[in-house]
């Protein structure tokens, strides 16, 4: 026999099938057992006991105070018995692929019943055409909203959305904006006498949590006079020397010569992925039986982080 569990809209569907033929097994007794703690002393008890119907399934959702520990899952018929250790759960299917499950299988059923169906969610995207403005400049803020329910996106109901802009010194502006038929909105933020500093904008819609958080700056910045370009390989090995070159040009024209230059080298983690065209054959080797992943499982307990080389160097741009 084989047993599977499927999260339905408001229950857990338990399915028992024949391992040899894949057909439903009717009349199979399914029990979920474990320790129930009462004070300091645990007691062995059966949390659920049910029989499959003609289609080999039954619907069930657990519930409890969280004090029970699931220890054994068993399926019994007159001729066969299947016992499963919840500490070694089967793989789970998500995002169109099977993945290992490291949790204790069905342990969540010992808590209060919860909605297994993914609830409807709201999604916002707010953006400006650039991240930095002078204090007197107008800021173009645009955004779109979408609702998602049962895997489908839709334009939210309602004619208005509230755009909230927070500024330095606990300043706040609220704007009621019309929501277009495409679920978008726009506002030209052009308040006078605003201070320089960090600003934050987000959207509010009735029945939704605030979403689409965006940050931009207002500061009296100075336009740079020249541009520096660095030339060299995009990726280099850690155990070999490499060469880089740089040039500087004034925006008004001409080279920026005899100017001091200070640089640092920073090491970043890199995940090697074969290109699509060479996914199976690369460097003369056949990788068709390999499965490539971006999990840093061999990088130790801590994730890889950028490492800055503190051996800074300085030089002077040549006149040529």
């Amino acid at each position: 026999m084989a047993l599977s569990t499927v999260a339905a809209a408001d229950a857990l569907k338990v399915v028992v099938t024949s391992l040899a033929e894949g057909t439903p097994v009717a009349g199979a007794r399914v029990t979920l057992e474990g320790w129930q703690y009462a004070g300091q002393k645990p007691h062995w008890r059966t949390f659920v006991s049910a029989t499959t119907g003609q289609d080999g399934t039954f619907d069930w959702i657990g519930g409890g105070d969280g004090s029970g520990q699931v220890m054994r899952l068993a399926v019994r018929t007159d001729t066969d018995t299947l016992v499963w250790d919840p500490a070694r759960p089967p793989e789970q299917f998500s995002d169109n692929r099977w993945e290992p499950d490291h949790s204790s299988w069905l342990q969540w059923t010992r808590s209060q019943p919860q909605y297994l169906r993914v609830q409807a969610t709201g999604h916002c995207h707010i953006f400006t055409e650039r991240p930095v403005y002078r204090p007197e400049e107008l800021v173009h803020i645009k955004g779109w909203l979408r609702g998602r329910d049962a895997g489908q996106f839709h334009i939210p109901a309602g004619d208005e959305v509230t755009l909230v802009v927070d500024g330095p010194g606990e300043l706040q502006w609220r704007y009621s904006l019309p929501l277009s038929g495409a679920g978008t909105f726009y506002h030209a933020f052009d308040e006078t006498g605003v201070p320089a500093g960090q600003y934050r904008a987000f959207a509010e819609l009735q029945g939704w949590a605030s979403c689409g958080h965006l940050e931009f700056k207002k500061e009296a910045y100075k336009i740079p006079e020249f541009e520096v370009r660095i030339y060299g390989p995009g990726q280099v090995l850690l155990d070999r020397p490499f060469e880089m070159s740089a040039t500087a040009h004034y925006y008004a024209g001409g080279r920026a010569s005899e100017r001091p230059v200070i640089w640092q080298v920073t090491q970043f983690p890199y995940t090697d992925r074969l290109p699509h065209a060479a996914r199976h054959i690369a460097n003369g080797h056949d990788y068709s039986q390999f499965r490539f992943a971006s999990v840093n499982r061999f990088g130790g307990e801590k994730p890889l982080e950028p490492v800055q080389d503190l051996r800074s160097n300085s030089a002077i741009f040549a006149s040529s």
Side-chain angles (χ1 to χ4, degrees):
M1 292 182 296
L3 182 141
S4 302
T5 56
V6 182
D10 54 0
L12 186 73
K13 183 173 289 293
V14 180
V15 184
V16 180
T17 56
S18 169
L19 189 61
E21 301 176 358
T23 55
V25 177
R29 173 66 60 179
V30 181
T31 57
L32 188 67
E33 303 165 301
W35 294 109
Q36 179 72 51
Y37 294 91
Q40 299 294 328
K41 187 176 181 180
H43 299 274
W44 187 264
R45 60 163 296 187
T46 300
F47 297 125
V48 62
S49 179
T51 303
T52 60
Q54 292 300 318
D55 59 354
T57 71
F58 69 89
D59 293 336
W60 166 72
I61 186 170
D65 57 4
S67 61
Q69 179 66 41
V70 176
M71 299 297 295
R72 183 168 64 195
L73 177 64
V75 184
R76 298 178 177 90
T77 62
D78 294 338
T79 58
D80 198 3
T81 300
L82 170 66
V83 179
W84 203 301
D85 181 4
R88 303 175 62 184
E91 291 185 329
Q92 59 181 357
F93 188 79
S94 177
D95 294 334
N96 203 30
R97 64 179 182 271
W98 289 97
E99 295 180 336
D101 184 6
H102 301 289
S103 62
S104 179
W105 195 19
L106 301 179
Q107 178 59 40
W108 64 268
T109 60
R110 301 316 311 142
S111 301
Q112 291 297 321
Q114 47 186 290
Y115 293 102
L116 300 181
R117 181 178 182 271
V118 177
Q119 300 300 300
T121 56
H123 302 265
C124 311
H125 178 59
I126 304 177
F127 58 95
T128 59
E129 84 280 12
R130 52 195 169 98
V132 184
Y133 299 82
R134 289 192 176 95
E136 69 276 6
E137 289 182 333
L138 179 145
V139 181
H140 299 280
I141 303 176
K142 188 174 179 63
W144 56 260
L145 286 76
R146 291 292 187 273
R148 187 170 187 255
D149 190 13
Q152 299 292 325
F153 285 98
H154 63 273
I155 297 174
D159 300 326
E160 289 187 348
V161 60
T162 300
L163 175 66
V164 183
V165 180
D166 292 332
E170 299 185 355
L171 295 175
Q172 186 179 85
W173 297 267
R174 302 179 66 89
Y175 308 96
S176 295
L177 306 176
L179 193 62
S180 70
T184 64
F185 63 90
Y186 166 78
H187 177 69
F189 182 70
D190 193 22
E191 301 290 340
T192 59
V194 296
Q198 191 79 21
Y199 286 75
R200 186 172 68 100
F202 57 91
E204 291 182 350
L205 190 68
Q206 185 175 2
W208 287 25
S210 60
C211 61
H213 294 267
L214 161 76
E215 291 186 354
F216 61 90
K217 288 183 179 180
K218 276 183 170 284
E219 59 182 30
Y221 64 90
K222 179 183 178 182
I223 298 178
E225 298 179 355
F226 58 87
E227 176 189 39
V228 177
R229 294 186 179 183
I230 301 177
Y231 304 91
Q235 299 169 10
V236 297
L237 299 178
L238 292 176
D239 56 350
R240 298 181 185 178
F242 59 93
E243 294 184 358
M244 307 289 289
S245 59
T247 60
H249 299 267
Y250 285 103
Y251 287 111
R255 296 180 180 273
S257 60
E258 303 298 330
R259 303 299 302 171
V261 181
I262 300 175
W263 75 84
Q264 286 183 324
V265 178
T266 303
Q267 172 188 332
F268 291 93
Y270 175 71
T271 300
D272 189 10
R273 295 182 180 179
L274 292 176
H276 180 75
R279 187 164 298 169
H280 298 312
I281 304 296
N283 300 325
H285 299 284
D286 184 4
Y287 293 100
S288 59
Q289 301 301 317
F290 288 79
R291 181 179 179 182
F292 294 91
S294 59
V295 180
N296 296 322
R297 63 182 65 188
F298 303 112
E301 297 182 356
K302 295 183 179 180
L304 296 177
E305 297 179 353
V307 179
Q308 182 172 319
D309 189 346
L310 300 180
R311 295 170 295 177
S312 304
N313 294 275
S314 61
I316 301 294
F317 267 117
S319 58
S320 59

